[in-house]
Amino acid sequence: MRTVDALPHTPEAHFRLQFFGAVLALRERLPIDLQDAGFLGAYAAEAGARSSAEWDAAVTAWAAAAPHLPLVRLAADAGLDPAAIRLLFTAGLVDEDARFGVVWEALEGPGRSRPTAGLLETWEPDGSARAAERLLLRLGLLEADDAEGPRGAWTLRPPALLWEALRGELDPEPVPWLRIEAHAELPTLAELILDDRAATGAARLPTALRSGDLRSVVVRGHERSGRRTLLGALARELGLGVLHVAPADAQWRLLGPLATLTGSLPVCVFELAPGETAEVDLPTAYAGPVGLALGKQGGLTGSAAESAVGIELAMPDEAARLRHWRAETGDAGEAVAAFAARARMTPGNVRRVAWLARANASVARRSTIEPDDLRDASRALHGRLLDTLAERVDTISSWTRIALPDETAHELMLLEARCRHRERLADGVGDALRSLTPGVRALFTGPSGTGKTLAAAILAAELGVDLYRLDLSTVVNKYLGETEKNLARVFARAEEADIALLLDEGDALLTQRTAVTTANDRYANLETNYLLQRLESFEGILIVTTNAGDRIDSAFRRRMDVVVDFRLPDATERWAIWTLHLPALHAVEAATLDEIVARCELSGGQIRNATLHASLLALDAGEPIRGAHVLAAVEREYRKSGEVCPLRVGELAYG
């Protein structure tokens, strides 16, 4: 330490030199009999018994020869003069060596193991310490333990996080709200898989960010769409690392100094609900840019928003998805290629599903990923995203499992085709429809029991996607704005997971708007208006079922791509439904079944319930299903609905 010039130009060495400067300055302010007592004498000897002025001159010359030092950059960005730096290190002496607590007690009195604001204000003979102390407190570089008392009695300390950063020993995850990613760990822009628009916009940003003309970059997109990855690539182009910040818990005043000391780009992710805004100001003590990641909803205010440029990350198309899959799984086989072509996923979800699929294959001792591995992996992802908001519905393969009128079946076939080609449809239309989204919105109307939910389950199975039923109890909330937030969360996650979303009994949400006579009417209409707007931008598959089509707002009907009417089955369709539900080895006479089909105008749901009850009766009797079982079950269905059964036991001959 005696030869300052021989020290390497590292942040750790600079910290040590500033620490010794603060020790020498403290020593000169002590009574003569204390200056060389105990450990202070050892520090003085290690410094070569120089005065603090001589030490400062040597350190200044040493720092001037260094290419770049974080502490020098902090002083420049925060406007700190040498007196302020000296004050900061003086307040932190006891954090480096607990023996300094005894020295402060000798100066301040018993129990005072840290310096007070009143003492440090007198630290420089020219009075500059007072202004330096106020600046350090305002920037958050110093904090007071007892700020409620008189200012002169405040006990001052540097924040522990800042002190570790000054020492150059900050952990990658030092506190729950902060994660540091080093420059070398970040991807380059060339490595990212971006659409043409996003790639062109990103390529232009580094030059503007280096010049200082641009201070903020806002990247919008779905969760796990690669927003932070893109901001990390921009940071690497600028020669920076990344500070990943959780805004809700962050100590904002420390963000700027930490970014400066670590040479990092602060990146904050905001998941805002409809109508919400986040106020974000540019960090103090930091002259570089900031990265802000947002979803599709919400907005920003504050100085960071005023100087921002935006990039939007769209859901990757089929070709981009295949590239993502190949990047995660290597040479994609047939199963992966087929899954990539069908499943619309964000890059982050591709990475998660690929990892789970590889794990599934490994457990089965296979080197290749098979369709079942991908299905189970994607289902596990869906559970994480949606199980608290919606419930999975078991799907049923093949349209042969449902009996429908020809016109209804034809509309369902058209709906299936629309879903299969939803990504390519925009390429086959005119310029007026170029803004067409890949979303498909279908409305199933008709009486209860006519097969609406069953048709949705079969459609999902034919498309190879999971079907989730929206749980209205988790969505509708009596508090203002909460319903819209919940709906936004459901729709966003349904888009990211690429599932079919079923809104059963949708008239509860899609009701006609009313005349505004009370505040409740106005807020109810606001919910309806939000839902109308969100349906237009929805990029997934949404199926709405209702028994009361006349209650659906006409504006919702116009926004539906397909409207399928389900009616009660006629005699031919009822025969087909009975045939589908009864077991192959039943013992019901044809004449009995013909009479039931002809005279009992039951819905498909009622026929299902009757078949289940008849099966129960037969099982309990230990025999195949007979006419008596079916008749008893039919009569029970009529009793449940409060109607009179048109059949009587004596009218039928049954086996």
Side-chain angles (χ1 to χ4, degrees):
M1 183 64 71
R2 292 172 181 270
T3 307
V4 173
D5 296 340
L7 290 176
H9 292 99
T10 64
E12 294 80 6
H14 198 195
F15 174 89
R16 194 69 178 160
L17 292 172
Q18 291 291 350
F19 173 79
F20 266 83
V23 172
L24 294 175
L26 170 63
R27 178 173 170 272
E28 292 173 354
R29 287 163 175 76
L30 294 174
I32 297 294
D33 59 327
L34 295 178
Q35 288 185 1
D36 293 319
F39 71 98
L40 286 176
Y43 274 117
E46 188 174 353
R50 307 182 198 184
S51 67
S52 62
E54 293 172 334
W55 184 264
D56 290 345
V59 172
T60 300
W62 175 89
H68 53 79
L69 292 168
L71 187 54
V72 172
R73 189 166 57 239
L74 176 65
D77 290 355
L80 304 179
D81 59 15
I85 297 294
R86 172 63 44 78
L87 215 61
L88 174 61
F89 275 82
T90 301
L93 288 175
V94 72
D95 294 295
E96 197 68 11
D97 189 336
R99 292 176 295 180
F100 282 100
V102 178
V103 178
W104 293 122
E105 286 189 346
L107 294 175
E108 298 274 16
R112 292 281 193 177
S113 60
R114 285 187 176 275
T116 62
L119 176 63
L120 291 184
E121 285 178 357
T122 66
W123 214 243
E124 299 295 336
D126 59 359
S128 60
R130 182 179 181 85
E133 180 186 273
R134 290 180 178 275
L135 177 61
L136 292 170
L137 285 166
R138 179 168 58 82
L139 294 176
L141 303 180
L142 284 181
E143 56 188 15
D145 285 347
D146 43 7
E148 299 299 323
R151 180 186 177 86
W154 290 358
T155 301
L156 301 184
R157 69 168 71 230
L161 196 60
L162 175 69
W163 193 251
E164 291 300 308
L166 286 168
R167 297 178 82 240
E169 298 180 357
L170 201 58
D171 291 334
E173 297 187 33
V175 287
W177 57 267
L178 181 65
R179 179 171 63 87
I180 304 172
E181 197 169 6
H183 169 267
E185 299 171 355
L186 299 170
T188 65
L189 280 176
E191 294 172 337
L192 301 187
I193 301 171
L194 301 172
D195 60 71
D196 292 342
R197 185 174 180 181
T200 301
R204 296 172 178 169
L205 290 178
T207 301
L209 292 170
R210 287 191 193 94
S211 69
D213 295 335
L214 182 63
R215 291 293 308 275
S216 305
V217 177
V218 177
V219 181
R220 285 187 178 270
H222 292 292
E223 282 191 73
R224 304 174 183 87
S225 61
R227 298 168 298 178
R228 286 184 296 185
T229 303
L230 173 55
L231 290 169
L234 289 172
R236 176 158 182 161
E237 294 293 324
L238 299 173
L240 302 174
V242 169
L243 296 184
H244 294 283
V245 182
D249 304 316
Q251 298 179 39
W252 283 99
R253 289 203 304 174
L254 291 181
L255 191 57
L258 290 175
T260 300
L261 289 170
T262 59
S264 301
L265 170 76
V267 171
C268 303
V269 180
F270 296 90
E271 299 298 345
L272 302 176
E276 285 187 341
T277 58
E279 184 174 358
V280 187
D281 289 320
L282 292 169
T284 56
Y286 172 67
V290 297
L292 305 172
L294 273 75
K296 298 186 127 185
Q297 311 287 335
L300 295 174
T301 60
S303 58
E306 294 172 1
S307 58
V309 67
I311 294 179
E312 184 165 356
L313 295 181
M315 189 76 75
D317 60 18
E318 181 179 335
R321 289 197 300 272
L322 186 57
R323 291 176 62 193
H324 281 294
W325 277 103
R326 283 177 174 158
E328 297 298 328
T329 62
D331 186 13
E334 291 184 8
V336 172
F339 190 80
R342 176 186 58 76
R344 298 183 78 247
M345 286 187 177
T346 61
N349 285 339
V350 169
R351 185 162 53 252
R352 286 164 173 78
V353 172
W355 184 88
L356 289 171
R358 288 197 304 269
N360 291 341
S362 178
V363 168
R365 297 185 177 181
R366 285 185 277 100
S367 59
T368 58
I369 296 175
E370 295 185 355
D372 286 349
D373 300 325
L374 294 164
R375 182 202 62 210
D376 294 342
S378 61
R379 189 159 290 172
L381 174 68
H382 300 163
R384 295 178 190 175
L385 294 175
L386 287 159
D387 272 357
T388 59
L389 302 169
E391 59 178 347
R392 189 168 66 85
V393 178
D394 290 334
T395 55
I396 303 171
S397 180
S398 178
W399 290 111
T400 60
R401 303 286 296 277
I402 187 171
L404 294 168
D406 290 342
E407 61 273 20
T408 302
H410 179 66
E411 287 297 326
L412 289 172
M413 293 301 104
L414 290 177
L415 173 59
E416 181 184 339
R418 174 68 184 268
C419 293
R420 289 193 185 280
H421 302 299
R422 59 195 179 111
E423 286 193 279
R424 302 185 183 95
L425 190 59
D427 297 331
V429 297
D431 292 339
L433 294 174
R434 288 296 180 187
S435 60
L436 188 69
T437 72
V440 179
R441 297 149 286 267
L443 176 64
F444 292 177
T445 67
S448 178
T450 51
K452 300 184 295 296
T453 303
L454 178 60
I458 294 174
L459 175 66
E462 292 293 318
L463 295 172
V465 300
D466 280 343
L467 178 67
Y468 273 76
R469 179 188 288 110
L470 178 60
D471 185 355
L472 290 181
S473 66
T474 66
V475 173
V476 178
N477 194 297
K478 65 180 180 179
Y479 294 105
L480 179 62
E482 290 301 313
T483 299
E484 291 92 324
K485 292 179 184 178
N486 293 335
L487 285 170
R489 190 178 304 116
V490 171
F491 282 124
R493 293 186 178 177
E495 289 171 328
E496 295 164 22
D498 191 44
I499 55 100
L501 187 62
L502 175 63
L503 181 54
D504 235 347
E505 307 300 336
D507 47 284
L509 281 178
L510 279 61
T511 52
Q512 296 179 357
R513 286 164 289 187
T514 62
V516 178
T517 58
T518 67
N520 289 338
D521 295 334
R522 181 159 60 90
Y523 294 135
N525 286 346
L526 286 175
E527 291 178 2
T528 302
N529 291 338
Y530 167 74
L531 193 53
L532 283 168
Q533 296 169 6
R534 190 62 181 91
L535 282 179
E536 284 191 321
S537 63
F538 184 61
E539 296 182 357
I541 298 172
L542 175 67
I543 302 168
V544 181
T545 69
T546 179
N547 302 336
D550 56 333
R551 293 178 55 194
I552 299 291
D553 194 299
S554 60
F556 283 112
R557 278 184 170 270
R558 287 197 302 272
R559 284 164 173 80
M560 293 295 168
D561 301 302
V562 179
V563 177
V564 183
D565 291 319
F566 290 74
R567 58 170 176 77
L568 290 171
D570 59 21
T572 302
E573 291 151 5
R574 290 197 296 273
W575 173 272
I577 296 171
W578 277 109
T579 303
L580 285 171
H581 284 79
L582 286 170
L585 299 178
H586 70 81
V588 182
E589 290 189 352
T592 300
L593 189 57
D594 287 343
E595 192 69 18
I596 292 173
V597 167
R599 297 178 60 182
C600 298
E601 298 181 355
L602 300 175
S603 68
Q606 289 174 311
I607 293 173
R608 172 186 177 275
N609 293 338
T611 305
L612 287 174
H613 186 65
S615 299
L616 177 62
L617 295 176
L619 184 64
D620 192 52
E623 58 186 7
I625 297 178
R626 299 185 181 278
H629 303 139
V630 175
L631 177 59
V634 169
E635 287 183 319
R636 180 173 179 270
E637 282 302 307
Y638 274 98
R639 285 198 305 272
K640 282 167 58 180
S641 62
E643 299 177 3
V644 177
C645 179
L647 301 175
R648 290 294 179 267
V649 174
E651 297 179 16
L652 293 176
Y654 50 83

